[in-house]
Every structure is written in structure tokens, then in C-alpha cells.
């Protein structure tokens, strides 16, 4: 069962500062670090629902894993930039969530990603349904 994106839902935003460790020799954010930024924003989005990664492990023996990602790099971020990372649910199924995430500097789009995460059981690492209480929170957030 898949639910389409709810246009009335707000976009989640998370601020990130670019540090020297995020950049290459030219002071430009290394492309793979956007993946870390996107991961942090999704983690904070989940935390905003009252769910932590450790809670998923402890209470449900599951984790969310990235199963698919496509990133478009539009403009560079640089040392000391303050970025705004956004998280939007595009689609949610019983065991997966499809997101659009973007990195912005002010009103300039820097990178955009399509990301799919899947709920998997531990230790089997097989897809399992997102727990109903969490599913409802995700669908309504």
C-alpha cells in the first residue's frame, strides 16, 4: 500500500554549517559529504517524530537503510557556508519511504536528491513493515 505525497504537509528543515573537514583542498564541499548532510537531516526529521535510531533497534529490532539514491549537484557549497537541508516525503509504503531532499544556501539550490529508505529487521536484514505507530506519524508529518 502506497500513500501519495500530502501537499499540505510542511517541509522539514535542518541547518548545517560547512566545516573544514567537509571540504576538499579548494574549500568546496566534497560531493560525498552531501550524503552525510542528508542523513543527518533525515535523522533529525525522525527525531522530530519522537523516534530515534536507537529506539528502532531497542524496541523493534529494525533499522532504516538507504536502498536507492540519486543526487543532482547544482552549485558548490564552501567552507563556513550555512546550509539549510530539507526533507520531504514523496511516497510512503508499508516498508519503505521515498524522500526528496535538498541542500540550500539562502535561496540557492546546491544539491537535490531522491532517496529511498527501507525498514529492515535485525539481524536478518530483510524488509519488514514500519511499525504502525511510526507509520502513522510519518504519514501525517
Amino acid at each position: 500500500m502506497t500513500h501519495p505525497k500530502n501537499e499540505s504537509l510542511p517541509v522539514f528543515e535542518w541547518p548545517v554549517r560547512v566545516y573544514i573537514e567537509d571540504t576538499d583542498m579548494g574549500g568546496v564541499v566534497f560531493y560525498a559529504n552531501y550524503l552525510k548532510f542528508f542523513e543527518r537531516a533525515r535523522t533529525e526529521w525522525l527525531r522530530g517524530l519522537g523516534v530515534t535510531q536507537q529506539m528502532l533497534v531497542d524496541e523493534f529490532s529494525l533499522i532504516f537503510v538507504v536502498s536507492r539514491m540519486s543526487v543532482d549537484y547544482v552549485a558548490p557549497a564552501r567552507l563556513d557556508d550555512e546550509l539549510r537541508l530539507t526533507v520531504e516525503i514523496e511516497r510512503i509504503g508499508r516498508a519503505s519511504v521515498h524522500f526528496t531532499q535538498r541542500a540550500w544556501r539562502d535561496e540557492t539550490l546546491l544539491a537535490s536528491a531522491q532517496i529511498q529508505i527501507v525498514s529492515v529487521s535485525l539481524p536478518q536484514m530483510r524488509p519488514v513493515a514500519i511499525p504502525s505507530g511510526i507509520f502513522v506519524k510519518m504519514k501525517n508529518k
Side-chain angles (χ1 to χ4, degrees):
M1 180 176 182
T2 304
H3 298 274
K5 179 181 173 185
N6 183 338
E7 296 297 336
S8 66
L9 295 179
V11 174
F12 179 84
E13 296 186 355
W14 187 253
V16 171
R17 173 76 64 188
V18 175
Y19 298 113
I20 190 74
E21 67 196 32
D22 300 320
T23 65
D24 60 18
M25 293 290 292
V28 173
V29 171
F30 182 65
Y31 75 95
N33 286 330
Y34 286 95
L35 307 183
K36 293 179 184 181
F37 297 160
F38 290 145
E39 178 75 28
R40 290 177 197 161
R42 284 193 315 279
T43 296
E44 294 303 331
W45 166 81
L46 195 59
R47 189 183 314 278
L49 298 178
V51 179
T52 67
Q53 303 286 358
Q54 194 61 54
M55 171 202 288
L56 293 172
V57 172
D58 293 344
E59 294 182 24
F60 302 104
S61 294
L62 68 82
I63 58 174
F64 287 117
V65 297
V66 172
S67 62
R68 181 171 294 143
M69 178 179 288
S70 172
V71 182
D72 293 316
Y73 299 96
V74 180
R78 298 184 184 280
L79 180 63
D80 290 328
D81 281 352
E82 187 172 323
L83 309 183
R84 179 172 43 94
L85 284 290
T86 61
V87 179
E88 295 176 79
I89 291 181
E90 295 297 330
R91 219 167 53 244
I92 183 169
R94 286 305 302 148
S96 66
V97 185
H98 300 252
F99 295 97
T100 294
Q101 289 193 251
R102 293 180 178 93
W104 300 87
R105 181 185 53 243
D106 299 319
E107 298 306 312
T108 301
L109 177 63
L110 306 175
S112 179
Q114 300 298 310
I115 300 167
Q116 177 181 334
I117 64 169
V118 176
S119 171
V120 298
S121 63
L122 293 175
Q124 298 85 3
M125 297 300 287
R126 297 196 189 276
V128 295
I130 298 167
S132 60
I134 295 171
F135 180 82
V136 168
K137 288 179 182 182
M138 288 177 164
K139 198 170 80 164
N140 294 323
K141 186 71 172 166

